[in-house]
Amino acid sequence: MLARRRRPGRRSQASLRRTGSARYPVVPGAEYARRVDAADPLPDRPAPDNPQGKLVLLRHGETEWSRTGRHTGRTDVPLTEHGEELARAAGELVRGYDFRLVLTSPLQRARRTAELAGLDAEIDPQLIEWDYGGYEGRTTQDIRAELGYNWSAFTHGVIRGETPGETVEEVAARASRVLTRVLPAMVDGDVALVAHGHYLRILAAVFLRQAPRFGASITFGAGSVSVLGYDREQPAILAWNHGPQLPLEPPRS
């Protein structure tokens, strides 16, 4: 078999990503397996039919990586100053809801968003962002230049890296487990989930009974709020991608 030739002048994948630093650590593989892959037990009874509470989704505020379009999965990047402003504004948007359950991803950008939004959130490891594996920290533009075609995570998937990576369907399976937990709480009131852009788009697709890749068609800006619920017996989008102002272009990541 012929060895694959490296394109002249191109840096290695490891040198392009630079994610394993003390400042922005990647969640270690062993911890990742313990906290995320150890699935929560399913409930004793199935989810209720047509609960009347609302499912409020908050995407964390802006980070330096989200601002520059870098895929940010397990790397623990903090909010920017603007990201903190967006988190506070999101709190104003959800002030009137009757939350019986509030869950957040364990990563600091989500936990800090919940705090600034005035939400007393419980950590749920199943809400952690998509594991991008070898594409962690890289932009879509950079990945497409390397591959030579119009790559996207939803269409083509990711590769192994410092973490094993996940398929779209594996992210959807985690989202499905979260929904089995939150739907019973929606019988008594509203539920808020504070998490990440790609993850919440996939969770919304699962809630709407669509294929996980439907999430590619619903963008979700940093610091924005979306609301899911039921219209009669059908799961529905009640509001989507609301922030301090209407988006002028799709989010970079």
Side-chain angles (χ1 to χ4, degrees):
M1 180 181 294
L2 293 175
R4 183 179 177 184
R5 295 177 60 189
R6 179 175 291 176
R7 296 182 185 179
R10 297 196 66 81
R11 293 175 290 167
S12 69
Q13 177 179 302
S15 68
L16 280 166
R17 293 192 294 117
R18 305 294 188 197
T19 58
S21 66
R23 185 180 181 192
Y24 297 145
V26 176
V27 175
E31 183 181 357
Y32 157 69
R34 182 172 63 253
R35 297 171 66 189
V36 178
D37 292 342
D40 295 329
L42 292 174
D44 295 328
R45 300 184 64 183
D49 183 41
N50 192 22
Q52 294 305 297
K54 307 300 185 295
L55 180 57
V56 180
L57 311 179
L58 284 75
R59 183 185 173 189
H60 63 77
E62 178 195 80
T63 69
E64 185 61 28
W65 281 25
S66 70
R67 187 185 67 80
T68 55
R70 299 172 70 178
H71 284 81
T72 318
R74 308 303 166 82
T75 307
D76 211 4
V77 182
L79 299 178
T80 62
E81 183 177 342
H82 179 55
E84 295 197 346
E85 293 173 357
L86 291 173
R88 294 186 185 95
E92 293 301 318
L93 288 175
V94 303
R95 197 68 67 206
Y97 286 90
D98 178 24
F99 290 124
R100 301 305 176 92
L101 178 65
V102 180
L103 302 176
T104 181
S105 160
L107 295 176
Q108 64 171 310
R109 57 191 184 272
R111 290 187 288 108
R112 180 62 172 158
T113 295
E115 177 186 357
L116 292 172
L119 300 174
D120 183 14
E122 173 188 346
I123 291 175
D124 188 336
Q126 298 293 335
L127 286 170
I128 201 167
E129 178 63 299
W130 192 341
D131 181 355
Y132 298 119
Y135 291 146
E136 179 77 5
R138 300 182 65 184
T139 67
T140 296
Q141 181 181 11
D142 170 52
I143 298 167
R144 288 180 173 184
E146 179 180 281
L147 296 176
Y149 58 83
N150 289 332
W151 173 90
S152 78
F154 278 101
T155 303
H156 304 100
V158 303
I159 60 174
R160 292 189 302 273
E162 293 182 21
T163 55
E166 287 181 296
T167 66
V168 180
E169 289 77 16
E170 286 171 328
V171 181
R174 289 197 285 113
S176 179
R177 285 187 174 273
V178 170
L179 289 173
T180 64
R181 179 182 182 185
V182 305
L183 285 170
M186 290 170 62
V187 172
D188 300 319
D190 304 317
V191 173
L193 303 179
V194 187
H196 311 274
H198 276 171
Y199 179 90
L200 290 174
R201 291 159 69 180
I202 293 170
L203 181 140
V206 175
F207 180 89
L208 295 169
R209 302 170 188 165
Q210 303 296 316
R213 283 177 172 79
F214 175 74
S217 300
I218 44 176
T219 61
F220 205 165
S224 293
V225 177
S226 297
V227 184
L228 302 175
Y230 287 84
D231 180 14
R232 297 186 174 89
E233 295 79 30
Q234 295 301 314
I237 294 175
L238 305 183
W240 194 260
N241 206 24
H242 280 239
Q245 58 188 24
L246 292 175
L248 299 177
E249 57 185 23
R252 290 190 180 188
S253 119

